[in-house]
Amino acid sequence: MQFQLQVQGAGRRQAIAIEAASEAEAIRQAARNGWRVLAIAGAQADAPAAAGVSKHAFPLLQFSQELLALLEAGLNLSEAMATLHNKENRAGAKATLAAILRTLQQGKSFSDTLADFPAIFPELYIATVHAAERSGNLPEALARFVGYQLQFDAIRKKLVAAAIYPSMLLLVGTLVTLFLLGYVVPKFSVVYESSGRDIPWMSQMLLGFGQSLAAHPLLCLAALAGAVGALVFAATNPSMRQRLILAVLRLPVLSEKAAEFRLARFYRALSLLLHAGIPLSKALAMVSAMLLPGQQGQLAQARRAVQEGLPFSAALEQNALATPVAQSLLKVGENTGRLGDMLERSAKFHDEEFARWVDWASRLLEPVLMMFIGVVIGGVVVLMYMPIFELAGSLS
């Protein structure tokens, strides 16, 4: 990304352009060149995809996988970063890699360098790298993080795939129902009105509703466009999307499964930190953000209990943060000194159970939705033809 800076140096003031990953990095570069920064006029991306350096613009998982492959091939960290920088084509990611490479070449540690980009590298990632630097086993730490992220991405893709078909069913069913109500029903209402016969009250309500839709087409289209726009806004706005997801996850059946899924992520992240050599108490504080606010309070109490000498499994059990399976596995891990492995096994067990539940729920939801849509459309058709049925019965 290119930043336009107003600087002063050597007794004169001028505007310069600096390629950097962030405003802070641009200011540091200007200071190293002897300039005093007076103002930053703005930033211009080298490509439309690089409107800013963010976690969405930087492929963290791909970066970790490629860095792991180069380190396992025998390259040192600087050589691996230089290779990744040279092969990168996306302007935003290339600028970020260039900033990381420059900082590494100046002697700064890798974890401290990553900490300069909190919007890209989460605290969990930085802490894992920092612990791996002390143990000298960065490839193993990266491999564990890649496994952690791949497992989470697999669950997320399964959820998205399971939601596509029901969403399409609802969309098609809604459009067909609106077509019937807004176009077909008004045509039938004209025929019934010209016949002069009494029609059932339910059919009268349906015909009246269809006539109202046909009489105000622009208003109906505006309402439909507003509903679609609201859904698109809720899906693209992070805060609105999070509120919508939390509201859905409060439903009776989903709330229990969502709590188990969060606990599985909590176990896996905690296992990642413990394998990196981070103490249990510090690791508990770092993974607190993965839980809901109520669970975060329970985790704080569990952390205090662990600091006071209570076994970890008992502390989680007292604060309702351990499932029966996790409780048994954690006790085994404490007795054998393999707590990190048992946390990983607990997370894997619950992830597999959650995946099976998603498959079962999607298979059940599809026929239920088809039945519901069939009942709605069939009800509209039956109510339209009910006066004809009554007329045919009277004639017979």
Side-chain angles (χ1 to χ4, degrees), residues 267 298 302 305-306 310-324 326-328 330-331 334:
Y267 298 150
Q298 295 171 333
V306 170
L310 191 69
F312 178 56
S313 58
L316 290 187
E317 184 180 17
Q318 286 182 1
N319 292 278
L321 291 175
T323 63
Q327 181 67 23
S328 301
L330 291 180
K331 288 180 180 179
E334 289 174 334

Side-chain angles (χ1 to χ4, degrees), residues 280-395:
L280 177 60
S281 179
K282 183 178 179 181
L284 287 174
M286 294 176 62
V287 297
S288 175
M290 293 185 173
L291 301 175
L292 294 173
Q295 293 175 315
Q296 291 178 12
Q298 295 171 333
L299 182 60
Q301 296 178 3
R303 185 187 177 198
R304 285 193 294 268
V306 170
Q307 291 172 340
E308 293 170 358
L310 191 69
F312 178 56
S313 58
L316 290 187
E317 184 180 17
Q318 286 182 1
N319 292 278
L321 291 175
T323 63
V325 173
Q327 181 67 23
S328 301
L329 291 176
L330 291 180
K331 288 180 180 179
V332 174
E334 289 174 334
N335 294 332
T336 60
R338 299 171 55 207
L339 185 59
D341 292 337
M342 293 300 106
L343 284 168
E344 178 69 23
R345 287 179 180 271
S346 301
K348 184 177 180 181
F349 176 88
H350 290 298
D351 283 344
E352 292 175 350
E353 185 181 35
F354 184 77
R356 289 193 295 269
W357 179 83
V358 169
D359 288 337
W360 172 83
S362 62
R363 291 175 183 176
L364 177 65
L365 183 61
E366 291 169 8
V368 170
L369 279 177
M370 292 181 68
M371 186 182 303
F372 172 76
I373 294 171
V375 168
V376 172
I377 296 176
V380 171
V381 173
V382 169
L383 289 177
M384 283 193 305
Y385 280 92
M386 188 176 294
I388 298 178
F389 296 154
E390 291 191 355
L391 177 61
S394 63
L395 291 176

Side-chain angles (χ1 to χ4, degrees), residues 192 195-201 203-204 386-388 390-391:
Y192 294 146
S195 68
R197 296 179 60 88
D198 293 333
I199 60 177
W201 66 272
S203 296
Q204 289 180 2
M386 188 176 294
I388 298 178
E390 291 191 355
L391 177 61

